[in-house]
Amino acid sequence: MKHETIETNAGLLIALTLVVISIGGLVEIVPLFYIDDTVEEVEGVRPYTPLELRGRDLYVREGCYTCHSQMIRPFRDEMLRYGHYSLAAESMYDHPFQWGSKRTGPDLARVGGKYSNDWHVRHLIDPRAVVPESIMPGYPWLARRDLRYDDIERRMRALRIAGVPYSLTEEEFAANVERFGEETARQLDITRARENLEAQARRGNYDGDPSRITEMDAMVAYLQMLGTLVDFTRYDEGYFVEFR
Amino acid sequence: MNEPGHEQQSAPGKPGEVETTGHVWDGDLREYNNPLPRWWLWSFYATVVFSLIYWLLYPAWPIAGTYTKGVAWINYEVEGEPQRSHWNSRALLLRDMQTGDAAVRQREFLQVIAEADHDTVLSDTDMLAFVNSYARGIFGDFCAACHQTGGAGIIGLYPNLADDNWHWGGTIQAIEQTITRGRMGYMPPYRETFDDQQADAVAAYVLSLAGHEGGDPEQVSLGGAIFQGYEGGCYACHGREGLGLKSQGAPNLTNDIWQNIDVTGAQSHAERQALVRDLILRGVQREMPAFGDRLSPAEIRVLATYVHQLGGGL
């Protein structure tokens, strides 16, 4: 085809331009749907419990991701500071994932268990009360507002459509028992979502106020489980290299 | 609109005139032909050559369920066995951790410190310099959010680590245990147990233990009886003399060093008494998280040595 034919035919020019610029994207993205060894086979990764799921939604609502990444890269300095590098498997149930690359604050991929619940509550209400140098904004309303969870089933159903194994039917529940064990499977049962959420909030008492379930309960429950699902002592150093 | 016409491609004749492509629109609209600068064109070809070499060396093209892995290899070890993998960032990290200059030097230092006894580390200037620079980093990453950058803590929330007053013990071994297993400091609330008069009395006694003059002698002796008796039972944790009990994390009450209330900052005896009384009524519950899963034993040794040195003491 001659240069001139394309140049003098606007429709053809647009079509061919689209073809050319989509090649780059297709080559990068499409193979990921077919290459089967990008997601590591590890024990322990499970979808969020209903309370953690609400916490994650609040994390997204408040825009925490604008300052915090959840992706520890495989570099020595990052391992020393944050712990084992993040695995693809660890965010396989995240829609959307919270990897990010903007780090005004530290990476949060393994913040679970690093601090006490009490610290998180104080820090989220007023970061400078515990970290005088902090430039993080306060989120005091999380402690004041009751958590809304009358729509928790709908949130879980939506994720189920996206492929997260929350169960609705007996068969799905049985499959989850097989895959995650009885206790976890019960947490993933959409029909029990409300009682599970209430029970976890009562048991955990994350915000220090057992009389009600606040948004703070959900947020702290979420933060305290981040990066804690995989037991890295069970895998030798070379294992995760096999998935690259 | 006129169909584009054709002309002979024109070469510049006079200086300042530019070559055209020969396309003509609307009768007189011509297109300049400005070839890419040579340096640009050759750089472009160079990037093409670069990518060919890159594809050959590194993981690149997807094919069916897998991808071309490239011919560049990385050697590393797993449990002493040599392993080889195609080039990728995870294998690169493993090699860097195992044979990288900085990592090896750091590991050697950590190992020496982990194996040396505590007194040797404290008296060896080289080891101490390493401990201090390494620990300052990890203290900032893992501890400073609670104990603050210099270790001074926050009264009522997180204890001061930079003094020589320890609840659980200030030896390197005791601090290692604190870091590895975490601690739960607990004193029961006495809201249900004491009436106002009793609470005031015990507070007066506690202040007298710490050497604060000015308490009502009658209150002090009543308070003493409650402290030492069945009603208060304070002695069970704080000891008969009020010297504390490290196994409970119960502080020495006689040294006038206060972690939970700012007694020394208070203006009057009445204010001091109110602070102590309120604390007894509400009790204390504080949690120090466990770091045994997060930090290696060698790192914990380094941190414990650093923390011990901040204020010294046992």
Side-chain angles (χ1 to χ4, degrees):
Chain A
M1 205 179 313
K2 276 175 72 184
H3 183 227
E4 190 186 327
T5 324
I6 304 173
E7 209 170 56
T8 57
N9 190 332
L12 186 62
L13 182 65
I14 290 172
L16 290 178
T17 307
L18 284 178
V19 169
V20 172
I21 60 181
S22 52
I23 289 175
L26 289 173
V27 166
E28 286 185 12
I29 297 163
V30 171
L32 294 180
F33 299 136
Y34 299 102
I35 295 177
D36 13 70
D37 51 3
T38 45
V39 177
E40 307 84 358
E41 286 157 35
V42 280
E43 295 272 314
V45 178
R46 58 157 175 81
Y48 297 115
T49 66
L51 187 67
E52 293 158 6
L53 178 62
R54 282 301 282 124
R56 201 199 83 102
D57 289 348
L58 294 172
Y59 183 92
V60 174
R61 181 189 80 188
E62 300 296 352
C64 310
Y65 57 83
T66 54
C67 288
H68 292 287
S69 59
Q70 288 187 24
M71 161 58 85
I72 302 165
R73 295 168 293 184
F75 302 140
R76 198 168 70 93
D77 53 344
E78 299 226 347
M79 301 263 289
L80 290 176
R81 175 161 181 190
Y82 298 121
H84 199 284
Y85 55 77
S86 296
L87 304 178
E90 289 180 290
S91 39
M92 66 197 277
Y93 300 123
D94 260 354
H95 297 282
F97 58 75
Q98 300 296 319
W99 299 343
S101 58
K102 179 75 168 66
R103 284 185 180 163
T104 303
D107 188 275
L108 297 182
R110 298 206 188 286
V111 82
K114 183 180 176 190
Y115 300 120
S116 55
N117 293 345
D118 178 72
W119 185 89
H120 279 296
V121 173
R122 289 177 198 282
H123 182 250
L124 284 168
I125 291 174
D126 176 12
R128 273 150 304 282
V130 284
V131 184
E133 314 84 339
S134 181
I135 54 160
M136 173 165 142
Y139 297 83
W141 54 87
L142 294 175
R144 287 198 298 267
R145 287 164 63 154
D146 286 322
L147 181 70
R148 255 198 72 185
Y149 56 95
D150 53 343
D151 57 356
I152 185 67
E153 292 91 351
R154 294 221 305 276
R155 287 172 192 269
M156 292 168 84
R157 276 167 185 265
L159 285 168
R160 179 171 163 275
I161 294 171
V164 180
Y166 289 122
S167 67
L168 265 180
T169 64
E170 283 294 320
E171 297 89 79
E172 285 171 354
F173 179 74
N176 278 348
V177 172
E178 180 88 355
R179 185 161 164 201
F180 300 109
E182 174 93 29
E183 203 181 322
T184 305
R186 226 173 290 138
Q187 287 285 337
L188 307 181
D189 184 349
I190 298 181
T191 60
R192 284 184 247 206
R194 263 176 235 209
E195 56 181 282
N196 281 337
L197 186 148
E198 286 162 4
Q200 191 185 352
R202 213 174 313 117
R203 190 164 11 95
N205 187 21
Y206 298 93
D207 67 351
D209 175 1
S211 66
R212 48 199 272 259
I213 302 178
T214 61
E215 294 189 337
M216 189 64 88
D217 279 308
M219 180 69 94
V220 175
Y222 169 67
L223 292 173
Q224 290 290 38
M225 62 74 68
L226 283 178
T228 60
L229 296 180
V230 178
D231 177 2
F232 284 94
T233 59
R234 298 180 50 183
Y235 302 94
D236 73 46
E237 292 180 85
Y239 180 67
F240 298 112
V241 175
E242 293 163 27
F243 295 92
R244 280 295 169 273
Chain B
M1 198 181 97
N2 292 337
E3 282 300 298
H6 272 286
E7 263 180 10
Q8 207 53 36
Q9 225 172 307
S10 80
K14 295 186 222 105
E17 222 170 81
V18 182
E19 188 186 349
T20 69
T21 57
H23 304 167
V24 183
W25 283 265
D26 285 351
D28 62 351
L29 209 52
R30 287 177 186 80
E31 198 180 352
Y32 284 155
N33 184 16
N34 279 321
L36 293 166
R38 273 302 137 99
W39 67 264
W40 195 97
L41 196 65
W42 283 110
S43 310
F44 177 68
Y45 292 147
T47 61
V48 172
V49 174
F50 175 86
S51 59
L52 289 174
I53 297 170
Y54 189 95
W55 294 340
L56 201 68
L57 290 177
Y58 301 112
W61 288 97
I63 326 163
T66 176
Y67 48 93
T68 60
K69 312 232 156 166
V71 297
W73 293 90
I74 291 180
N75 295 311
Y76 56 93
E77 277 182 13
V78 175
E79 285 159 11
E81 295 287 310
Q83 302 272 334
R84 229 155 90 102
S85 156
H86 65 272
W87 191 98
N88 68 79
S89 54
R90 291 182 178 182
L92 198 64
L93 170 69
L94 255 187
R95 191 183 66 185
D96 185 28
M97 294 286 234
Q98 291 173 347
T99 53
D101 261 359
V104 168
R105 274 215 311 279
Q106 199 168 64
R107 195 167 51 240
E108 283 168 358
F109 255 115
L110 280 174
Q111 198 157 356
V112 170
I113 287 164
E115 284 163 6
D117 68 273
H118 300 135
D119 293 334
T120 318
V121 179
L122 287 173
S123 54
D124 184 316
T125 43
D126 259 6
M127 288 194 208
L128 261 191
F130 175 80
V131 162
N132 284 330
S133 76
Y134 192 86
R136 218 185 325 259
I138 44 180
F139 190 88
D141 289 343
F142 298 103
C143 322
C146 291
H147 294 289
Q148 310 294 296
T149 311
I154 301 176
I155 288 186
L157 296 180
Y158 311 111
N160 184 346
L161 304 179
D163 63 9
D164 61 356
N165 175 48
W166 302 95
H167 289 194
W168 299 96
T171 60
I172 294 178
Q173 287 98 319
I175 298 175
E176 276 182 320
Q177 279 222 349
T178 300
I179 302 172
T180 309
R181 302 218 296 244
R183 299 286 194 192
M184 187 66 95
Y186 177 73
M187 161 163 154
Y190 283 86
R191 210 178 290 109
E192 313 286 312
T193 321
F194 293 161
D195 59 26
D196 281 354
Q197 197 200 349
Q198 287 171 311
D200 275 331
V202 179
Y205 177 71
V206 168
L207 284 172
S208 77
L209 280 179
H212 286 280
E213 308 285 336
D216 171 9
E218 226 166 278
Q219 274 193 341
V220 171
S221 76
L222 173 61
I226 298 172
F227 190 99
Q228 305 293 353
Y230 174 73
E231 254 180 309
C234 318
Y235 69 91
C237 295
H238 292 285
R240 287 280 172 207
E241 265 96 72
L243 293 173
L245 194 61
K246 298 246 153 64
S247 64
Q248 294 293 311
N252 182 342
L253 299 176
T254 65
N255 59 9
D256 202 22
I257 300 175
W258 305 84
Q259 293 283 357
N260 289 281
I261 39 182
D262 189 12
V263 170
T264 42
Q267 300 303 322
S268 64
H269 196 272
E271 213 177 298
R272 285 191 277 275
Q273 195 171 354
L275 282 173
V276 177
R277 184 192 53 221
D278 290 349
L279 177 106
I280 294 169
L281 292 178
R282 72 169 182 266
V284 188
Q285 188 165 358
R286 301 201 293 187
E287 180 195 349
M288 152 88 193
F291 283 86
D293 290 341
R294 202 175 279 272
L295 301 171
S296 71
E299 284 177 317
I300 291 178
R301 165 69 57 91
V302 165
L303 255 183
T305 310
Y306 172 78
V307 168
H308 168 78
Q309 276 187 96
L310 286 176
L314 298 172

